[in-house]
PDB file of all heavy atoms in Angstrom:
ATOM      1  N   ALA A 621      64.622 -21.210  39.743  1.00  0.00           N
ATOM      2  CA  ALA A 621      65.404 -21.124  38.503  1.00  0.00           C
ATOM      3  C   ALA A 621      64.443 -20.848  37.350  1.00  0.00           C
ATOM      4  O   ALA A 621      63.297 -21.304  37.376  1.00  0.00           O
ATOM      5  CB  ALA A 621      66.132 -22.442  38.269  1.00  0.00           C
ATOM      6  N   VAL A 622      64.907 -20.107  36.370  1.00  0.00           N
ATOM      7  CA  VAL A 622      63.968 -19.686  35.334  1.00  0.00           C
ATOM      8  C   VAL A 622      64.609 -19.694  33.949  1.00  0.00           C
ATOM      9  O   VAL A 622      65.809 -19.449  33.802  1.00  0.00           O
ATOM     10  CB  VAL A 622      63.408 -18.283  35.678  1.00  0.00           C
ATOM     11  CG1 VAL A 622      64.477 -17.219  35.590  1.00  0.00           C
ATOM     12  CG2 VAL A 622      62.233 -17.926  34.794  1.00  0.00           C
ATOM     13  N   GLN A 623      63.801 -19.998  32.958  1.00  0.00           N
ATOM     14  CA  GLN A 623      64.250 -19.933  31.565  1.00  0.00           C
ATOM     15  C   GLN A 623      63.048 -19.626  30.681  1.00  0.00           C
ATOM     16  O   GLN A 623      61.954 -20.148  30.904  1.00  0.00           O
ATOM     17  CB  GLN A 623      64.849 -21.283  31.144  1.00  0.00           C
ATOM     18  CG  GLN A 623      65.454 -21.305  29.763  1.00  0.00           C
ATOM     19  CD  GLN A 623      66.708 -20.426  29.652  1.00  0.00           C
ATOM     20  OE1 GLN A 623      67.622 -20.561  30.459  1.00  0.00           O
ATOM     21  NE2 GLN A 623      66.721 -19.524  28.689  1.00  0.00           N
ATOM     22  N   ARG A 624      63.261 -18.751  29.714  1.00  0.00           N
ATOM     23  CA  ARG A 624      62.199 -18.507  28.729  1.00  0.00           C
ATOM     24  C   ARG A 624      62.613 -19.105  27.393  1.00  0.00           C
ATOM     25  O   ARG A 624      63.791 -19.111  27.045  1.00  0.00           O
ATOM     26  CB  ARG A 624      61.970 -17.006  28.541  1.00  0.00           C
ATOM     27  CG  ARG A 624      61.268 -16.358  29.696  1.00  0.00           C
ATOM     28  CD  ARG A 624      61.117 -14.878  29.465  1.00  0.00           C
ATOM     29  NE  ARG A 624      62.392 -14.193  29.496  1.00  0.00           N
ATOM     30  CZ  ARG A 624      62.643 -13.049  28.856  1.00  0.00           C
ATOM     31  NH1 ARG A 624      61.712 -12.478  28.118  1.00  0.00           N
ATOM     32  NH2 ARG A 624      63.812 -12.481  28.947  1.00  0.00           N
ATOM     33  N   MET A 625      61.625 -19.576  26.664  1.00  0.00           N
ATOM     34  CA  MET A 625      61.877 -20.068  25.307  1.00  0.00           C
ATOM     35  C   MET A 625      60.817 -19.481  24.375  1.00  0.00           C
ATOM     36  O   MET A 625      59.699 -19.189  24.797  1.00  0.00           O
ATOM     37  CB  MET A 625      61.807 -21.597  25.260  1.00  0.00           C
ATOM     38  CG  MET A 625      62.828 -22.278  26.136  1.00  0.00           C
ATOM     39  SD  MET A 625      62.690 -24.078  26.047  1.00  0.00           S
ATOM     40  CE  MET A 625      63.389 -24.407  24.430  1.00  0.00           C
ATOM     41  N   GLY A 626      61.181 -19.342  23.117  1.00  0.00           N
ATOM     42  CA  GLY A 626      60.226 -18.801  22.151  1.00  0.00           C
ATOM     43  C   GLY A 626      60.846 -18.808  20.773  1.00  0.00           C
ATOM     44  O   GLY A 626      61.851 -19.492  20.535  1.00  0.00           O
ATOM     45  N   PHE A 627      60.255 -18.038  19.870  1.00  0.00           N
ATOM     46  CA  PHE A 627      60.796 -17.955  18.512  1.00  0.00           C
ATOM     47  C   PHE A 627      62.238 -17.452  18.583  1.00  0.00           C
ATOM     48  O   PHE A 627      62.584 -16.644  19.454  1.00  0.00           O
ATOM     49  CB  PHE A 627      60.013 -16.939  17.674  1.00  0.00           C
ATOM     50  CG  PHE A 627      58.578 -17.302  17.383  1.00  0.00           C
ATOM     51  CD1 PHE A 627      57.755 -16.380  16.742  1.00  0.00           C
ATOM     52  CD2 PHE A 627      58.035 -18.534  17.726  1.00  0.00           C
ATOM     53  CE1 PHE A 627      56.432 -16.676  16.451  1.00  0.00           C
ATOM     54  CE2 PHE A 627      56.704 -18.840  17.441  1.00  0.00           C
ATOM     55  CZ  PHE A 627      55.901 -17.903  16.805  1.00  0.00           C
ATOM     56  N   ALA A 628      63.062 -17.891  17.637  1.00  0.00           N
ATOM     57  CA  ALA A 628      64.392 -17.286  17.503  1.00  0.00           C
ATOM     58  C   ALA A 628      64.195 -15.794  17.217  1.00  0.00           C
ATOM     59  O   ALA A 628      63.196 -15.414  16.593  1.00  0.00           O
ATOM     60  CB  ALA A 628      65.138 -17.950  16.352  1.00  0.00           C
ATOM     61  N   PRO A 629      65.127 -14.960  17.661  1.00  0.00           N
ATOM     62  CA  PRO A 629      64.918 -13.508  17.524  1.00  0.00           C
ATOM     63  C   PRO A 629      65.172 -13.012  16.105  1.00  0.00           C
ATOM     64  O   PRO A 629      66.001 -12.128  15.866  1.00  0.00           O
ATOM     65  CB  PRO A 629      65.931 -12.928  18.520  1.00  0.00           C
ATOM     66  CG  PRO A 629      66.999 -13.951  18.613  1.00  0.00           C
ATOM     67  CD  PRO A 629      66.363 -15.282  18.381  1.00  0.00           C
ATOM     68  N   VAL A 630      64.475 -13.618  15.173  1.00  0.00           N
ATOM     69  CA  VAL A 630      64.605 -13.247  13.758  1.00  0.00           C
ATOM     70  C   VAL A 630      63.218 -13.308  13.131  1.00  0.00           C
ATOM     71  O   VAL A 630      62.266 -13.772  13.747  1.00  0.00           O
ATOM     72  CB  VAL A 630      65.531 -14.231  12.995  1.00  0.00           C
ATOM     73  CG1 VAL A 630      66.941 -14.201  13.554  1.00  0.00           C
ATOM     74  CG2 VAL A 630      64.972 -15.660  13.036  1.00  0.00           C
ATOM     75  N   THR A 631      63.139 -12.855  11.896  1.00  0.00           N
ATOM     76  CA  THR A 631      61.902 -13.006  11.128  1.00  0.00           C
ATOM     77  C   THR A 631      61.764 -14.465  10.720  1.00  0.00           C
ATOM     78  O   THR A 631      62.749 -15.099  10.355  1.00  0.00           O
ATOM     79  CB  THR A 631      61.989 -12.100   9.881  1.00  0.00           C
ATOM     80  OG1 THR A 631      62.003 -10.748  10.341  1.00  0.00           O
ATOM     81  CG2 THR A 631      60.827 -12.312   8.937  1.00  0.00           C
ATOM     82  N   CYS A 632      60.554 -14.992  10.768  1.00  0.00           N
ATOM     83  CA  CYS A 632      60.365 -16.422  10.491  1.00  0.00           C
ATOM     84  C   CYS A 632      60.736 -16.751   9.036  1.00  0.00           C
ATOM     85  O   CYS A 632      60.150 -16.206   8.104  1.00  0.00           O
ATOM     86  CB  CYS A 632      58.911 -16.803  10.746  1.00  0.00           C
ATOM     87  SG  CYS A 632      58.587 -18.547  10.426  1.00  0.00           S
ATOM     88  N   PRO A 633      61.717 -17.643   8.843  1.00  0.00           N
ATOM     89  CA  PRO A 633      62.086 -18.011   7.469  1.00  0.00           C
ATOM     90  C   PRO A 633      61.208 -19.157   6.965  1.00  0.00           C
ATOM     91  O   PRO A 633      60.868 -20.058   7.730  1.00  0.00           O
ATOM     92  CB  PRO A 633      63.540 -18.475   7.623  1.00  0.00           C
ATOM     93  CG  PRO A 633      63.648 -18.932   9.048  1.00  0.00           C
ATOM     94  CD  PRO A 633      62.568 -18.285   9.856  1.00  0.00           C
ATOM     95  N   PRO A 634      60.850 -19.169   5.692  1.00  0.00           N
ATOM     96  CA  PRO A 634      59.986 -20.253   5.201  1.00  0.00           C
ATOM     97  C   PRO A 634      60.719 -21.567   4.949  1.00  0.00           C
ATOM     98  O   PRO A 634      60.108 -22.627   5.015  1.00  0.00           O
ATOM     99  CB  PRO A 634      59.416 -19.690   3.899  1.00  0.00           C
ATOM    100  CG  PRO A 634      60.371 -18.633   3.474  1.00  0.00           C
ATOM    101  CD  PRO A 634      61.031 -18.103   4.707  1.00  0.00           C
ATOM    102  N   THR A 635      62.010 -21.515   4.653  1.00  0.00           N
ATOM    103  CA  THR A 635      62.686 -22.774   4.339  1.00  0.00           C
ATOM    104  C   THR A 635      62.739 -23.670   5.573  1.00  0.00           C
ATOM    105  O   THR A 635      63.139 -23.227   6.657  1.00  0.00           O
ATOM    106  CB  THR A 635      64.115 -22.541   3.800  1.00  0.00           C
ATOM    107  OG1 THR A 635      64.788 -23.812   3.768  1.00  0.00           O
ATOM    108  CG2 THR A 635      64.931 -21.609   4.676  1.00  0.00           C
ATOM    109  N   PRO A 636      62.341 -24.951   5.415  1.00  0.00           N
ATOM    110  CA  PRO A 636      62.310 -25.841   6.580  1.00  0.00           C
ATOM    111  C   PRO A 636      63.669 -25.948   7.268  1.00  0.00           C
ATOM    112  O   PRO A 636      63.735 -26.137   8.480  1.00  0.00           O
ATOM    113  CB  PRO A 636      61.893 -27.191   6.006  1.00  0.00           C
ATOM    114  CG  PRO A 636      61.433 -26.941   4.627  1.00  0.00           C
ATOM    115  CD  PRO A 636      61.895 -25.602   4.184  1.00  0.00           C
ATOM    116  N   ALA A 637      64.737 -25.805   6.482  1.00  0.00           N
ATOM    117  CA  ALA A 637      66.076 -25.937   7.058  1.00  0.00           C
ATOM    118  C   ALA A 637      66.281 -24.936   8.190  1.00  0.00           C
ATOM    119  O   ALA A 637      66.901 -25.248   9.213  1.00  0.00           O
ATOM    120  CB  ALA A 637      67.128 -25.723   5.973  1.00  0.00           C
ATOM    121  N   LEU A 638      65.741 -23.733   8.027  1.00  0.00           N
ATOM    122  CA  LEU A 638      65.885 -22.711   9.071  1.00  0.00           C
ATOM    123  C   LEU A 638      64.654 -22.646   9.971  1.00  0.00           C
ATOM    124  O   LEU A 638      64.753 -22.380  11.167  1.00  0.00           O
ATOM    125  CB  LEU A 638      66.121 -21.337   8.425  1.00  0.00           C
ATOM    126  CG  LEU A 638      67.387 -21.223   7.573  1.00  0.00           C
ATOM    127  CD1 LEU A 638      67.483 -19.838   6.939  1.00  0.00           C
ATOM    128  CD2 LEU A 638      68.632 -21.504   8.417  1.00  0.00           C
ATOM    129  N   GLU A 639      63.497 -22.901   9.366  1.00  0.00           N
ATOM    130  CA  GLU A 639      62.261 -22.785  10.141  1.00  0.00           C
ATOM    131  C   GLU A 639      62.258 -23.765  11.312  1.00  0.00           C
ATOM    132  O   GLU A 639      61.791 -23.445  12.405  1.00  0.00           O
ATOM    133  CB  GLU A 639      61.058 -23.035   9.230  1.00  0.00           C
ATOM    134  CG  GLU A 639      59.750 -22.603   9.854  1.00  0.00           C
ATOM    135  CD  GLU A 639      58.548 -23.239   9.195  1.00  0.00           C
ATOM    136  OE1 GLU A 639      58.630 -24.421   8.801  1.00  0.00           O
ATOM    137  OE2 GLU A 639      57.518 -22.559   9.085  1.00  0.00           O
ATOM    138  N   ASN A 640      62.796 -24.968  11.093  1.00  0.00           N
ATOM    139  CA  ASN A 640      62.837 -25.953  12.183  1.00  0.00           C
ATOM    140  C   ASN A 640      63.624 -25.443  13.379  1.00  0.00           C
ATOM    141  O   ASN A 640      63.363 -25.825  14.518  1.00  0.00           O
ATOM    142  CB  ASN A 640      63.446 -27.270  11.689  1.00  0.00           C
ATOM    143  CG  ASN A 640      62.486 -27.998  10.767  1.00  0.00           C
ATOM    144  OD1 ASN A 640      61.281 -27.726  10.800  1.00  0.00           O
ATOM    145  ND2 ASN A 640      63.008 -28.883   9.934  1.00  0.00           N
ATOM    146  N   LEU A 641      64.613 -24.593  13.085  1.00  0.00           N
ATOM    147  CA  LEU A 641      65.423 -24.044  14.179  1.00  0.00           C
ATOM    148  C   LEU A 641      64.754 -22.835  14.827  1.00  0.00           C
ATOM    149  O   LEU A 641      65.108 -22.426  15.929  1.00  0.00           O
ATOM    150  CB  LEU A 641      66.802 -23.620  13.642  1.00  0.00           C
ATOM    151  CG  LEU A 641      67.600 -24.726  12.947  1.00  0.00           C
ATOM    152  CD1 LEU A 641      68.838 -24.141  12.267  1.00  0.00           C
ATOM    153  CD2 LEU A 641      67.997 -25.802  13.954  1.00  0.00           C
ATOM    154  N   PHE A 642      63.819 -22.253  14.102  1.00  0.00           N
ATOM    155  CA  PHE A 642      63.165 -21.013  14.553  1.00  0.00           C
ATOM    156  C   PHE A 642      62.258 -21.269  15.762  1.00  0.00           C
ATOM    157  O   PHE A 642      62.178 -20.450  16.674  1.00  0.00           O
ATOM    158  CB  PHE A 642      62.349 -20.454  13.378  1.00  0.00           C
ATOM    159  CG  PHE A 642      61.529 -19.233  13.676  1.00  0.00           C
ATOM    160  CD1 PHE A 642      62.119 -17.971  13.727  1.00  0.00           C
ATOM    161  CD2 PHE A 642      60.154 -19.332  13.889  1.00  0.00           C
ATOM    162  CE1 PHE A 642      61.353 -16.832  13.984  1.00  0.00           C
ATOM    163  CE2 PHE A 642      59.381 -18.199  14.146  1.00  0.00           C
ATOM    164  CZ  PHE A 642      59.990 -16.952  14.190  1.00  0.00           C
ATOM    165  N   TYR A 643      61.604 -22.446  15.758  1.00  0.00           N
ATOM    166  CA  TYR A 643      60.625 -22.745  16.819  1.00  0.00           C
ATOM    167  C   TYR A 643      61.224 -23.631  17.906  1.00  0.00           C
ATOM    168  O   TYR A 643      61.988 -24.550  17.608  1.00  0.00           O
ATOM    169  CB  TYR A 643      59.432 -23.514  16.229  1.00  0.00           C
ATOM    170  CG  TYR A 643      58.580 -22.707  15.284  1.00  0.00           C
ATOM    171  CD1 TYR A 643      58.675 -22.893  13.908  1.00  0.00           C
ATOM    172  CD2 TYR A 643      57.669 -21.779  15.768  1.00  0.00           C
ATOM    173  CE1 TYR A 643      57.880 -22.157  13.033  1.00  0.00           C
ATOM    174  CE2 TYR A 643      56.869 -21.040  14.899  1.00  0.00           C
ATOM    175  CZ  TYR A 643      56.980 -21.238  13.535  1.00  0.00           C
ATOM    176  OH  TYR A 643      56.193 -20.510  12.681  1.00  0.00           O
ATOM    177  N   PRO A 644      60.837 -23.414  19.171  1.00  0.00           N
ATOM    178  CA  PRO A 644      61.113 -24.438  20.180  1.00  0.00           C
ATOM    179  C   PRO A 644      60.308 -25.686  19.825  1.00  0.00           C
ATOM    180  O   PRO A 644      59.289 -25.588  19.131  1.00  0.00           O
ATOM    181  CB  PRO A 644      60.562 -23.834  21.480  1.00  0.00           C
ATOM    182  CG  PRO A 644      60.312 -22.400  21.205  1.00  0.00           C
ATOM    183  CD  PRO A 644      60.088 -22.271  19.726  1.00  0.00           C
ATOM    184  N   ASN A 645      60.762 -26.842  20.258  1.00  0.00           N
ATOM    185  CA  ASN A 645      59.945 -28.047  20.071  1.00  0.00           C
ATOM    186  C   ASN A 645      60.062 -28.905  21.320  1.00  0.00           C
ATOM    187  O   ASN A 645      60.820 -28.580  22.248  1.00  0.00           O
ATOM    188  CB  ASN A 645      60.354 -28.805  18.802  1.00  0.00           C
ATOM    189  CG  ASN A 645      61.799 -29.249  18.851  1.00  0.00           C
ATOM    190  OD1 ASN A 645      62.232 -29.855  19.840  1.00  0.00           O
ATOM    191  ND2 ASN A 645      62.567 -28.945  17.807  1.00  0.00           N
ATOM    192  N   ALA A 646      59.320 -30.002  21.323  1.00  0.00           N
ATOM    193  CA  ALA A 646      59.244 -30.815  22.543  1.00  0.00           C
ATOM    194  C   ALA A 646      60.635 -31.223  23.028  1.00  0.00           C
ATOM    195  O   ALA A 646      60.922 -31.200  24.231  1.00  0.00           O
ATOM    196  CB  ALA A 646      58.394 -32.050  22.265  1.00  0.00           C
ATOM    197  N   ARG A 647      61.515 -31.565  22.088  1.00  0.00           N
ATOM    198  CA  ARG A 647      62.836 -32.069  22.494  1.00  0.00           C
ATOM    199  C   ARG A 647      63.707 -30.933  23.030  1.00  0.00           C
ATOM    200  O   ARG A 647      64.409 -31.101  24.024  1.00  0.00           O
ATOM    201  CB  ARG A 647      63.500 -32.776  21.317  1.00  0.00           C
ATOM    202  CG  ARG A 647      62.766 -34.090  20.972  1.00  0.00           C
ATOM    203  CD  ARG A 647      63.156 -34.628  19.610  1.00  0.00           C
ATOM    204  NE  ARG A 647      64.537 -35.061  19.559  1.00  0.00           N
ATOM    205  CZ  ARG A 647      65.405 -34.702  18.606  1.00  0.00           C
ATOM    206  NH1 ARG A 647      65.031 -33.895  17.631  1.00  0.00           N
ATOM    207  NH2 ARG A 647      66.643 -35.143  18.634  1.00  0.00           N
ATOM    208  N   THR A 648      63.662 -29.760  22.382  1.00  0.00           N
ATOM    209  CA  THR A 648      64.490 -28.651  22.901  1.00  0.00           C
ATOM    210  C   THR A 648      63.931 -28.143  24.231  1.00  0.00           C
ATOM    211  O   THR A 648      64.684 -27.719  25.115  1.00  0.00           O
ATOM    212  CB  THR A 648      64.596 -27.495  21.882  1.00  0.00           C
ATOM    213  OG1 THR A 648      63.280 -27.031  21.554  1.00  0.00           O
ATOM    214  CG2 THR A 648      65.313 -27.918  20.620  1.00  0.00           C
ATOM    215  N   ILE A 649      62.622 -28.226  24.374  1.00  0.00           N
ATOM    216  CA  ILE A 649      62.026 -27.817  25.662  1.00  0.00           C
ATOM    217  C   ILE A 649      62.463 -28.804  26.749  1.00  0.00           C
ATOM    218  O   ILE A 649      62.879 -28.407  27.849  1.00  0.00           O
ATOM    219  CB  ILE A 649      60.481 -27.762  25.564  1.00  0.00           C
ATOM    220  CG1 ILE A 649      60.044 -26.681  24.575  1.00  0.00           C
ATOM    221  CG2 ILE A 649      59.861 -27.501  26.939  1.00  0.00           C
ATOM    222  CD1 ILE A 649      58.579 -26.767  24.159  1.00  0.00           C
ATOM    223  N   ALA A 650      62.394 -30.096  26.415  1.00  0.00           N
ATOM    224  CA  ALA A 650      62.800 -31.113  27.398  1.00  0.00           C
ATOM    225  C   ALA A 650      64.266 -30.912  27.781  1.00  0.00           C
ATOM    226  O   ALA A 650      64.638 -30.993  28.964  1.00  0.00           O
ATOM    227  CB  ALA A 650      62.583 -32.511  26.815  1.00  0.00           C
ATOM    228  N   SER A 651      65.084 -30.610  26.784  1.00  0.00           N
ATOM    229  CA  SER A 651      66.512 -30.419  27.034  1.00  0.00           C
ATOM    230  C   SER A 651      66.745 -29.224  27.971  1.00  0.00           C
ATOM    231  O   SER A 651      67.541 -29.291  28.922  1.00  0.00           O
ATOM    232  CB  SER A 651      67.223 -30.205  25.694  1.00  0.00           C
ATOM    233  OG  SER A 651      68.541 -29.796  25.901  1.00  0.00           O
ATOM    234  N   THR A 652      66.022 -28.135  27.714  1.00  0.00           N
ATOM    235  CA  THR A 652      66.156 -26.937  28.557  1.00  0.00           C
ATOM    236  C   THR A 652      65.687 -27.231  29.978  1.00  0.00           C
ATOM    237  O   THR A 652      66.329 -26.834  30.965  1.00  0.00           O
ATOM    238  CB  THR A 652      65.327 -25.777  27.949  1.00  0.00           C
ATOM    239  OG1 THR A 652      65.785 -25.555  26.623  1.00  0.00           O
ATOM    240  CG2 THR A 652      65.450 -24.506  28.760  1.00  0.00           C
ATOM    241  N   ALA A 653      64.560 -27.933  30.070  1.00  0.00           N
ATOM    242  CA  ALA A 653      64.018 -28.265  31.394  1.00  0.00           C
ATOM    243  C   ALA A 653      64.993 -29.174  32.154  1.00  0.00           C
ATOM    244  O   ALA A 653      65.203 -29.014  33.367  1.00  0.00           O
ATOM    245  CB  ALA A 653      62.660 -28.946  31.236  1.00  0.00           C
ATOM    246  N   TYR A 654      65.593 -30.088  31.428  1.00  0.00           N
ATOM    247  CA  TYR A 654      66.564 -31.019  32.032  1.00  0.00           C
ATOM    248  C   TYR A 654      67.704 -30.227  32.675  1.00  0.00           C
ATOM    249  O   TYR A 654      68.099 -30.472  33.820  1.00  0.00           O
ATOM    250  CB  TYR A 654      67.090 -31.950  30.932  1.00  0.00           C
ATOM    251  CG  TYR A 654      67.993 -33.055  31.408  1.00  0.00           C
ATOM    252  CD1 TYR A 654      67.470 -34.313  31.732  1.00  0.00           C
ATOM    253  CD2 TYR A 654      69.374 -32.857  31.523  1.00  0.00           C
ATOM    254  CE1 TYR A 654      68.300 -35.336  32.161  1.00  0.00           C
ATOM    255  CE2 TYR A 654      70.209 -33.865  31.954  1.00  0.00           C
ATOM    256  CZ  TYR A 654      69.673 -35.111  32.271  1.00  0.00           C
ATOM    257  OH  TYR A 654      70.494 -36.119  32.702  1.00  0.00           O
ATOM    258  N   ASP A 655      68.218 -29.233  31.917  1.00  0.00           N
ATOM    259  CA  ASP A 655      69.314 -28.408  32.448  1.00  0.00           C
ATOM    260  C   ASP A 655      68.872 -27.632  33.691  1.00  0.00           C
ATOM    261  O   ASP A 655      69.632 -27.482  34.646  1.00  0.00           O
ATOM    262  CB  ASP A 655      69.797 -27.414  31.379  1.00  0.00           C
ATOM    263  CG  ASP A 655      70.641 -28.103  30.313  1.00  0.00           C
ATOM    264  OD1 ASP A 655      71.016 -29.280  30.520  1.00  0.00           O
ATOM    265  OD2 ASP A 655      70.898 -27.473  29.272  1.00  0.00           O
ATOM    266  N   LEU A 656      67.633 -27.129  33.654  1.00  0.00           N
ATOM    267  CA  LEU A 656      67.141 -26.370  34.820  1.00  0.00           C
ATOM    268  C   LEU A 656      67.081 -27.272  36.052  1.00  0.00           C
ATOM    269  O   LEU A 656      67.410 -26.855  37.165  1.00  0.00           O
ATOM    270  CB  LEU A 656      65.742 -25.802  34.545  1.00  0.00           C
ATOM    271  CG  LEU A 656      65.651 -24.475  33.785  1.00  0.00           C
ATOM    272  CD1 LEU A 656      64.190 -24.102  33.573  1.00  0.00           C
ATOM    273  CD2 LEU A 656      66.355 -23.348  34.535  1.00  0.00           C
ATOM    274  N   VAL A 657      66.662 -28.511  35.827  1.00  0.00           N
ATOM    275  CA  VAL A 657      66.515 -29.430  36.959  1.00  0.00           C
ATOM    276  C   VAL A 657      67.885 -29.912  37.449  1.00  0.00           C
ATOM    277  O   VAL A 657      68.168 -29.925  38.650  1.00  0.00           O
ATOM    278  CB  VAL A 657      65.627 -30.638  36.560  1.00  0.00           C
ATOM    279  CG1 VAL A 657      65.607 -31.694  37.674  1.00  0.00           C
ATOM    280  CG2 VAL A 657      64.206 -30.163  36.268  1.00  0.00           C
ATOM    281  N   LYS A 658      68.752 -30.257  36.499  1.00  0.00           N
ATOM    282  CA  LYS A 658      70.054 -30.828  36.882  1.00  0.00           C
ATOM    283  C   LYS A 658      71.088 -29.748  37.204  1.00  0.00           C
ATOM    284  O   LYS A 658      72.085 -29.999  37.869  1.00  0.00           O
ATOM    285  CB  LYS A 658      70.617 -31.709  35.746  1.00  0.00           C
ATOM    286  CG  LYS A 658      69.706 -32.857  35.341  1.00  0.00           C
ATOM    287  CD  LYS A 658      69.672 -33.950  36.397  1.00  0.00           C
ATOM    288  CE  LYS A 658      68.766 -35.097  35.968  1.00  0.00           C
ATOM    289  NZ  LYS A 658      68.477 -36.038  37.051  1.00  0.00           N
ATOM    290  N   GLY A 659      70.846 -28.544  36.667  1.00  0.00           N
ATOM    291  CA  GLY A 659      71.832 -27.469  36.838  1.00  0.00           C
ATOM    292  C   GLY A 659      72.892 -27.546  35.758  1.00  0.00           C
ATOM    293  O   GLY A 659      73.309 -28.639  35.353  1.00  0.00           O
TER     294      GLY A 659
END
Side-chain angles (χ1 to χ4, degrees):
V622 68
Q623 185 67 52
R624 287 178 292 154
M625 299 180 74
F627 294 174
V630 297
T631 294
C632 180
T635 169
L638 299 178
E639 194 199 37
N640 288 340
L641 303 171
F642 176 79
Y643 292 104
N645 60 50
R647 291 165 67 229
T648 57
I649 296 166
S651 170
T652 303
Y654 186 93
D655 285 349
L656 276 178
V657 173
K658 302 288 181 192

